[in-house]
Amino acid sequence: MSEQTRWAKVIDHTRCIGCHACTTACKSENEVPLGVTRTYVKYADVGTFPATRRAFQVTRCNQCDDAPCTTACPTGAMFRRPDGIVDFDKSICIGCKACIAACPYDAIFINPDDHSAEKCNFCAHRIDVGLEPACVTVCPTEAILIGDLEDPTSKVSQIVGREPVSVRRPEKGTYPKLFYSGAHQATLDPLAAVRPDGGLFMWSEQPSGAAEVGAGYPGGGRSRAAGGNSSAAAVLSYDVSHRAPWDWRVSLYTLTKGIGAGVYLAALLLCLLGVLSWQSSVWLGGAPLLALGGLAITGALLIWDLEHPKRFYFIFTHAHFKSWLVKGAFVIAAYGLALLAHAVAGLVGGLQGVSATRWLAWVTAPLAAFTAIYTAYLFAQAKARDLWQSPLLPPHLLVQALLAGGAILLLISPAGGVESGHVRSLVWVTAAVHMLLVLGEVTLTHATAHAKLATRQMVAGRFAPWFWVGVLSMVTTVMICILGIVGPWLDPIIAGTVLLGLFAHEHAYVQAGQSVPLA
């Protein structure tokens, strides 16, 4: 064996008989609870009767050389060992599920017993004492092989170097070290085989809850005309579903964070335009205090969403700075301190405080803008979710923040001495820009089938009601403002409509991005 070991695995599907021995051995060896799996065998029936065949595919962690789960993990709980094995440390896992969102192979899950992220780790505890992984020793046909890619004499190195092998989703650039020999494309591509009519999977349990992501192409039917994606007329016969990692709390967090950033930016913009006085109560105290309230709710939602909420401080004490979850946490913390300094200076500093708040804006405004947009980079680290890989997402989030901030200012404009007409203009202009960006997201050609299907789920599928509530809310807001319908009673309605519309859009966008099967 070479000095620099790089463990890899080859699964020979010309030998696999679909017996599930690897699944049960893995569960026994690693004490994997019922309902979740580190490895499982997928079945697809290819062809049209009577010219059919059954193809198998063993699904598990791909032990990537450039593993996105390790980059996204905020505490380093997911890490790559020097020998190439991607392992995990449950003692520092906070259960943020960023690794699940990042994995293009849907190989990671939350263990329901200990609430920590888990996956196949090559049975590292066995490797370290010179034993083979449990799945390798139990396979009756020797369909699973392990070896060192850096050792030219290992069987795995020879197969990878000399024989035709495949990997799953090579376009993701993760450099997986799980190679398939003789695997049918209908099993490697998560969208190649369609779901069976009526959800009649063989033996498998396919829950239909809102958080469940069913296996296979979601069009249904066995023909391309019925929505199938496979020219080989492949249909799934056995597979497992997965749960979307991020629920409505993440959808709501994008709104509350937008409020926290946007109310300050909107107040600053109005001051720069001369609409709002630098000595107004809104600028000196109202805006920073409301922004702090938005950040407080954001933090509460993020901690609530953790599987280990008591470990939330690990983001700071075990910070892994490649993760945008960590970068965002530090930016929000810095922004919160800047807001607090602004509020103190503005409320108790008198004329000197007014001057201080203007100087503080040079620091606070960039932090506010970065607070608004960093989620775009967090979503971009979720390599599994093609819908979120949009270069327009950072400016779109900034526009949404200004829109949300304007809505909040509209609510307080009577008490704060702000001319509501100017605030209303800010709201309808940002609402119109928001709608233009949404129109671009749903009408431009999508680069991948995954992004196209996610958009379909958002516009015409499971999350369409949320999406169209968002659209209708914004259209209503713009039309009321353009037509000049006025009245003090109307401002709270406009603000509520805007906030509802933003949440509805964010919920549709976040959930639809997780709705397309990856495995």
Side-chain angles (χ1 to χ4, degrees), residues 40-43 201 204-206 215-216 236-241 519:
Y40 65 93
V41 183
K42 173 181 176 179
Y43 294 7
F201 287 78
S204 67
E205 181 182 351
Q206 290 286 330
L236 287 173
S237 55
Y238 181 86
D239 208 338
V240 300
S241 67

Side-chain angles (χ1 to χ4, degrees), residues 142-203:
E142 295 184 334
I144 306 174
L145 301 172
I146 65 164
D148 179 10
L149 281 179
E150 302 299 327
D151 180 4
T153 65
S154 75
K155 193 168 184 179
V156 163
S157 180
Q158 292 175 359
I159 291 174
V160 172
R162 301 175 185 175
E163 299 180 16
V165 292
S166 303
V167 295
R168 291 168 56 205
R169 308 198 73 180
E171 74 278 3
K172 290 298 179 181
T174 63
Y175 304 104
K177 299 196 301 298
L178 172 57
F179 300 93
Y180 293 96
S181 176
H184 197 285
Q185 184 62 22
T187 64
L188 293 177
D189 181 353
L191 301 177
V194 298
R195 299 171 185 171
D197 293 327
L200 299 177
F201 287 78
M202 179 180 63
W203 303 321

Side-chain angles (χ1 to χ4, degrees), residues 317-374:
T317 60
H318 295 75
H320 175 229
F321 282 98
K322 287 186 177 180
S323 169
W324 273 96
L325 200 59
V326 169
K327 294 174 184 177
F330 276 88
V331 167
I332 287 177
Y335 177 46
L337 291 174
L339 287 172
L340 185 61
H342 179 123
V344 171
L347 294 175
V348 302
L351 291 177
Q352 290 182 338
V354 174
S355 177
T357 59
R358 297 181 67 171
W359 282 106
L360 279 170
W362 288 94
V363 174
T364 312
L367 289 172
F370 204 33
T371 296
I373 69 174
Y374 89 85

Side-chain angles (χ1 to χ4, degrees), residues 4 25 34 36 39 43 59 105-106 120 159 182 186 192 203 228 344 347 364 393 430 464 468 491:
Q4 183 60 48
L34 292 175
V36 289
T39 182
Y43 294 7
T59 304
Y105 311 104
D106 229 353
C120 165
I159 291 174
W203 303 321
V344 171
L347 294 175
T364 312
L393 193 52
T430 50
W468 290 108
D491 290 343

